[in-house]
Amino acid sequence: PPHSPKIKHAVINSLAQAELLERKGIQAMVIPNVFDFESPPWKQDKYNQDLRAEIGLSENDLVILQATRIVSRKGIELAIDFTRALSTTDRRSELAEKGLYDNRQFSDKDRIVLVLAGYTRDDLTADYKNKLIEKAVHGGVKLLFIEDRIDADRGNRDDQKVYSLWDAYTAADLVTYPSIWEGWGNQFLEAIKAKLPIVMFEYPVYIKDIKPKGFKIISLGDQIRDYDNAGLSRIDEEIIESAADQALEIITDSNFRQNMVDHNYTLAQEHYSLTSLGKYLNQLFSD
């Protein structure tokens, strides 16, 4: 980036801001990702009300949504570990005993499914996807890849009904976001827009820029313990178990869940809305 009194610089996170200053001596302003929190909420409607049935899910299945692309830095193996922990016999029994947050009844016949809506068209993702499938099979976790039914907009593909990514959120009960590295984090804001609880690994930009705002999440910690023989990341088992316990409370306690998602929505409106973007840009162009 060039030095010039006629050029102002903006970066997406404070880590990049520090690097730019150290490497180039350039002062930059942080302008984070934002989202339209004033638009209508994502809800079930006539178009998407059949989404669960179309992808092979029942109404009482517990759906954990991984909405990111299928690439290794997204840490999706941690979402599999979390889903495995949530699916233990004891936790399933508690789900059946207490019922779900929206009065659905969970039974022995119902499943806990990790639904992956993102695409696998990036380089090297086929190998990563196969590793995830193998890990899920070994751990007894049900994975459901729905890339062929999701697009940017609603429509048709190969004579099949296609849903938008926003439709996928309306079918979910929980969002996993276990990325090991992000430049900022689109799916974080999407989950908040959808008013869904978030299970996430605390990647560096989240810790530095987002966490101090006070968001409430189900944390998978911020440290990778090691990597397995397939090169997939692992964190301490007690962290996985703790996250599953927290999720169980959120899934079965409607008031606790509502307080969490409303709190996050309010914070996101304040810091990461289009209105807040206007403030950031006004400051950038007026300094």
Side-chain angles (χ1 to χ4, degrees):
H3 288 270
S4 170
K6 295 184 178 181
I7 296 176
K8 293 183 179 181
H9 297 268
V11 292
I12 200 169
N13 63 61
S14 62
L15 300 183
Q17 182 186 45
E19 288 291 322
L20 188 59
L21 181 61
E22 179 181 351
R23 293 167 184 258
K24 300 286 290 184
I26 292 175
Q27 294 279 357
M29 179 179 174
V30 175
I31 298 183
N33 278 12
V34 298
F35 209 83
D36 185 3
F37 287 97
E38 303 305 321
S39 61
W42 302 334
K43 293 182 178 181
Q44 284 196 2
D45 56 27
K46 290 182 179 180
Y47 189 91
N48 64 29
Q49 64 185 358
D50 61 350
L51 173 55
R52 280 192 174 224
E54 284 287 313
I55 61 176
L57 297 171
S58 76
E59 283 303 309
N60 289 340
D61 284 341
L62 188 65
V63 174
I64 301 170
L65 178 65
Q66 176 76 31
T68 66
R69 291 174 295 138
I70 314 300
V71 292
S72 59
R73 70 177 176 86
K74 301 295 184 179
I76 299 170
E77 57 269 26
L78 302 181
I80 294 174
D81 287 334
F82 166 78
T83 305
R84 170 186 51 79
L86 190 60
S87 302
T88 61
T89 300
D90 287 347
R91 292 191 178 100
R92 285 183 59 91
S93 296
E94 193 166 344
L95 286 171
E97 178 184 349
K98 293 182 176 179
L100 304 184
Y101 62 95
D102 56 0
N103 296 320
R104 286 179 292 153
Q105 293 302 309
F106 188 83
S107 71
D108 292 340
K109 298 179 181 179
D110 299 312
R111 300 171 298 169
I112 300 175
V113 183
L114 180 59
V115 174
L116 298 99
Y119 64 83
T120 56
R121 295 186 287 265
D122 289 333
D123 293 340
L124 305 179
T125 52
D127 183 51
Y128 180 58
K129 180 180 178 180
N130 290 335
K131 290 177 180 180
L132 294 177
I133 293 172
E134 184 177 349
K135 179 181 178 71
V137 170
H138 185 263
V141 172
K142 171 63 177 175
L143 294 187
L144 183 59
F145 293 89
I146 62 169
E147 172 188 7
D148 60 329
R149 306 300 301 272
I150 299 295
D151 210 332
D153 298 299
R154 294 171 171 180
N156 285 277
R157 183 193 299 138
D158 300 328
D159 296 324
Q160 273 193 326
K161 186 177 182 180
V162 172
Y163 302 85
S164 74
L165 182 60
W166 318 139
D167 290 323
Y169 281 97
T170 70
D173 299 296
L174 201 68
V175 168
T176 48
Y177 192 45
S179 291
I180 297 166
W181 176 262
E182 291 286 347
W184 202 89
N186 285 335
Q187 271 72 38
F188 178 76
L189 292 182
E190 290 173 9
I192 291 175
K193 168 66 177 178
K195 291 198 170 183
L196 290 170
I198 312 168
V199 182
M200 63 183 294
F201 183 79
E202 298 186 37
Y203 53 90
V205 171
Y206 174 81
I207 292 173
K208 187 69 167 60
D209 289 1
I210 306 171
K211 185 175 182 176
K213 302 293 190 297
F215 289 97
K216 296 180 179 180
I217 63 165
I218 301 169
S219 177
L220 296 176
D222 60 7
Q223 296 295 318
I224 299 299
R225 185 188 70 195
D226 57 17
Y227 295 85
D228 65 15
N229 292 334
L232 300 179
S233 59
R234 295 189 292 196
I235 62 177
D236 288 340
E237 189 63 26
E238 57 264 32
I239 295 176
I240 294 286
E241 293 293 323
S242 175
D245 284 338
Q246 293 175 59
L248 190 64
E249 182 178 8
I250 291 166
I251 292 167
T252 57
D253 188 329
S254 60
N255 289 331
F256 185 70
R257 176 191 179 93
Q258 196 64 50
N259 287 337
M260 171 183 273
V261 298
D262 286 346
H263 169 84
N264 287 344
Y265 199 92
T266 299
L267 281 180
Q269 281 183 310
E270 179 182 354
H271 298 287
Y272 304 120
S273 64
L274 295 183
T275 300
S276 63
L277 175 61
K279 296 177 182 177
Y280 298 139
L281 294 176
N282 284 338
Q283 182 179 344
L284 178 68
F285 289 110
S286 62
D287 284 348

